[in-house]
């Protein structure tokens, strides 16, 4: 697929040039986080930022997950609502502050296209001079502002529709004739279905950037049959744009302003390309310098470059949640515990804990890929399970490569009927 237009030259630069630029920027970002964000001054205490200039060095730093960010914010509400993670304070440098569920508070710097969403919208076909119907919520959370700032940076005009009030939204679409939509795919479907029932004309909508929930190929095709080309945008309130879909429809291209790792759930250990794991992101944003932020989402790196000519790495997209903590016989079992068990044995390549049985009759089976399998190893692993989880489990040794590549470390196969 030939591509003649890019948002900027960064998208088409050689892959090795991009990697070198990201690794060159990484030490300065780590040093900035240590100096300007008090939380990272503690989390990265003793780390020589100048040595964090490779992915291998980055992988040695701790992963910060959302629940830790929330805990730190709660502990410091009276003195710092951002828990020490923001490099900004109230004033002209911070234009807005938002609240995501938790609540977790996020800052917005007073800069153009703060979340870098313009790149995703351009890839979806949004162009200067168009009107965008923005149906993300404008209430407390940043979703609407993420897409609005990107649309404005592209050169679009934005109608701040927000959520709900379907009839009024249909009226606005039929009278203002916007070319593009931003919002959740489910609400776009509601608008199209309600328009058909009411005889409202929404035919001006020809393209959409959707997010906030899954948009499977079947739904994308449904929109296509009704004349709307829908593209997925993966962004978060903490990180801004992480990855975006292109005209090629082959995965999501990683944004130029982040460094993405895929790690084994419950750990900070990177997995080989192609293996499903948790998406961990380091942002080069100076205002909110998150280093190794665990999104809690599963994905995998796709091989090769995008057929559109964009040379950045690609991910498969959202593939589920990485937090697979489950309760067994009244005890919580965490993915990190499965990883701790596997680490004790060099022969173990991969492990998957399967919880089965009916309610109140839980059974655990740890399925283990091992290069050297014997009964002695099986017994040793069973003892390690008891030691780490305080629960008994059967251990099943399986051939390397036989466990599913779906990112699951704990599979809850119990019957709840």
């Amino acid at each position: 697929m030939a591509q003649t237009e890019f948002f900027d030259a960064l998208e088409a630069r050689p892959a090795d040039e991009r990697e070198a630029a990201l690794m060159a920027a990484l030490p300065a970002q780590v040093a900035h986080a240590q100096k300007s964000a008090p939380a990272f001054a503690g989390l990265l205490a003793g780390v020589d930022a100048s040595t964090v200039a490779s992915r291998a060095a980055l992988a040695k730093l701790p992963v910060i997950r959302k629940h830790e960010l929330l805990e730190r914010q709660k502990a410091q509400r009276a003195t710092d609502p951002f828990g020490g993670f923001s490099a900004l304070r109230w004033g002209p440098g911070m234009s807005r502050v938002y609240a995501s569920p938790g609540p977790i508070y996020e800052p917005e710097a007073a800069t153009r296209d703060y979340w870098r969403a313009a790149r995703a919208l351009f890839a979806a076909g949004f162009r200067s001079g168009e009107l965008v119907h923005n149906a993300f919520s404008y209430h407390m959370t940043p979703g609407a502002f993420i897409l609005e700032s990107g649309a404005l940076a592209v050169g679009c005009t934005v109608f701040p529709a927000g959520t709900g009030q379907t009839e009024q939204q249909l009226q606005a679409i039929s009278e203002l004739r916007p070319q593009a939509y931003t919002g959740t795919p489910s609400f776009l479907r509601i608008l199209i279905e309600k328009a058909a029932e009411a005889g409202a004309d929404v035919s001006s909508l020809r393209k959409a950037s959707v997010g906030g929930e899954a948009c499977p190929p079947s739904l994308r095709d449904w929109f296509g049959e009704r004349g709307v080309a829908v593209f997925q945008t993966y962004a978060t309130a903490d990180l801004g744009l992480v990855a975006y879909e292109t005209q090629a429809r082959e995965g999501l291209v990683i944004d130029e302003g982040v460094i993405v790792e895929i790690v084994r759930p419950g750990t900070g250990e990177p997995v080989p390309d192609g293996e499903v794991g948790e998406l961990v992101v380091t942002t080069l944003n100076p205002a909110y310098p998150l280093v190794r932020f665990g999104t809690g989402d599963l994905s995998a790196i796709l091989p090769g470059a995008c057929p559109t000519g964009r040379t950045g790495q690609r991910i498969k997209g959202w593939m589920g949640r990485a937090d697979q903590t489950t309760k067994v016989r009244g005890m919580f079992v965490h993915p990190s515990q499965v990883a701790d068990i596997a680490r004790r044995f060099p022969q173990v390549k991969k492990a998957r804990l399967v919880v089965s049985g009916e309610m109140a009759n839980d059974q655990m089976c740890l399925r283990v890929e091992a290069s050297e399998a014997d009964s002695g190893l099986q017994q040793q692993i069973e003892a390690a399970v008891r030691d780490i989880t305080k629960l008994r489990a059967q251990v099943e040794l399986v051939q390397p490569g036989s466990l599913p590549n779906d990112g699951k470390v704990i599979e809850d196969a119990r019957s709840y009927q």
Side-chain angles (χ1 to χ4, degrees):
M1 175 181 291
Q3 173 76 26
T4 57
E5 281 191 291
F6 298 105
F7 180 69
D8 58 26
L10 296 178
E11 295 182 344
R13 58 183 163 165
D16 58 351
E17 181 181 315
R18 175 184 295 101
E19 184 69 6
L22 290 173
M23 293 304 106
L26 182 56
Q29 181 69 344
V30 172
H32 172 65
Q34 291 173 315
K35 179 181 178 180
S36 304
F40 280 110
L43 290 164
L44 303 180
V47 173
D48 181 353
S50 67
T51 66
V52 188
S54 68
R55 289 182 179 268
L58 180 62
K60 295 178 182 178
L61 303 183
V63 173
I64 308 305
R65 292 189 165 83
K66 194 175 285 281
H67 70 87
E68 297 173 79
L69 192 154
L70 175 59
E71 288 165 5
R72 285 176 176 267
Q73 285 199 2
K74 284 183 175 179
Q76 299 180 45
R77 286 284 192 245
T79 56
D80 183 355
F82 301 110
F85 287 97
S86 174
L88 299 178
R89 300 296 180 265
W90 309 136
M94 187 191 301
S95 56
R96 296 185 182 92
V97 59
Y98 302 95
S100 292
I104 293 176
Y105 295 109
E106 299 107 359
E108 178 190 0
T111 56
R112 179 177 180 269
D113 193 21
Y114 169 70
W115 287 280
R116 310 175 312 282
R119 188 180 304 281
L121 298 182
F122 191 90
F126 289 47
R127 293 295 183 268
S128 179
E130 296 180 334
L131 176 63
V132 176
H133 185 93
N134 188 7
F136 277 113
S137 173
Y138 277 86
H139 180 64
M140 293 193 184
T141 58
F145 296 92
I146 292 175
L147 276 299
E148 178 179 292
S149 65
L152 295 177
V154 169
C156 299
T157 298
V158 176
F159 177 72
T163 57
Q165 297 180 307
T166 306
E167 291 182 4
Q168 291 93 323
Q169 295 215 28
L170 290 177
Q171 180 180 358
I173 293 170
S174 64
E175 294 177 352
L176 293 174
R177 310 295 293 164
Q179 293 87 0
Y181 166 93
T182 52
T184 62
S186 59
F187 190 64
L188 177 58
R189 179 164 186 161
I190 288 172
L191 287 174
I192 293 174
E193 290 177 337
K194 294 294 185 184
E197 294 174 7
D201 184 2
V202 296
S203 61
S204 64
L205 290 177
R206 310 305 294 173
K207 65 196 83 171
S209 175
V210 300
E213 59 191 29
C215 183
S218 59
L219 183 54
R220 182 190 68 196
D221 294 343
W222 187 91
F223 289 124
E225 292 166 359
R226 287 151 182 82
V228 184
V230 169
F231 298 86
Q232 296 183 75
T233 298
Y234 177 40
T236 77
D238 320 276
L239 300 163
L241 181 66
V242 176
Y244 57 96
E245 195 171 18
T246 72
Q247 305 283 340
R249 307 288 194 184
E250 295 185 14
L252 277 64
V253 177
I254 294 172
D255 179 54
E256 302 291 333
V258 296
I259 299 169
V260 165
E261 303 169 271
I262 305 292
V263 308
R264 186 155 287 114
T267 79
E269 302 165 5
V271 300
D273 285 358
E275 185 171 328
V276 178
E278 181 185 6
L279 198 70
V280 170
V281 181
T282 296
T283 173
L284 299 180
N285 175 7
Y288 203 37
L290 295 177
V291 177
R292 297 205 88 200
F293 183 75
T295 63
D297 292 329
L298 293 175
S299 195
I301 297 291
L302 283 174
C306 180
T308 62
R310 293 174 174 86
T311 56
Q313 279 188 314
R314 295 174 300 158
I315 58 174
K316 287 187 177 181
W318 186 81
M319 301 177 69
R321 293 292 294 170
D323 185 6
Q324 299 152 27
T325 298
T326 189
K327 185 176 281 189
V328 181
R329 301 173 213 153
M331 301 276 287
F332 281 108
V333 181
H334 305 273
S336 58
Q337 292 176 304
V338 178
D340 289 342
I341 294 165
R343 276 195 209 99
R344 291 191 179 188
F345 305 95
Q347 310 96 310
V348 173
K349 306 304 178 187
K350 194 174 180 181
R352 181 187 185 101
L353 184 67
V354 180
V355 184
S356 60
E358 298 178 354
M359 191 173 292
N361 187 28
D362 299 332
Q363 299 172 26
M364 294 199 317
C365 177
L366 186 66
R367 305 189 69 211
V368 174
E369 290 184 7
S371 55
E372 301 173 13
D374 57 48
S375 59
L377 175 64
Q378 184 174 344
Q379 293 171 359
Q380 291 171 5
I381 296 174
E382 287 176 352
V385 173
R386 290 195 300 273
D387 181 38
I388 291 174
T389 70
K390 312 306 178 189
L391 297 165
R392 291 183 180 273
Q394 174 190 355
V395 171
E396 179 185 351
L397 302 179
V398 300
Q399 290 296 316
S402 60
L403 293 179
N405 179 25
D406 57 7
K408 283 189 178 181
V409 175
I410 300 176
E411 177 186 352
D412 191 343
R414 288 173 288 195
S415 172
Y416 293 94
Q417 296 181 352

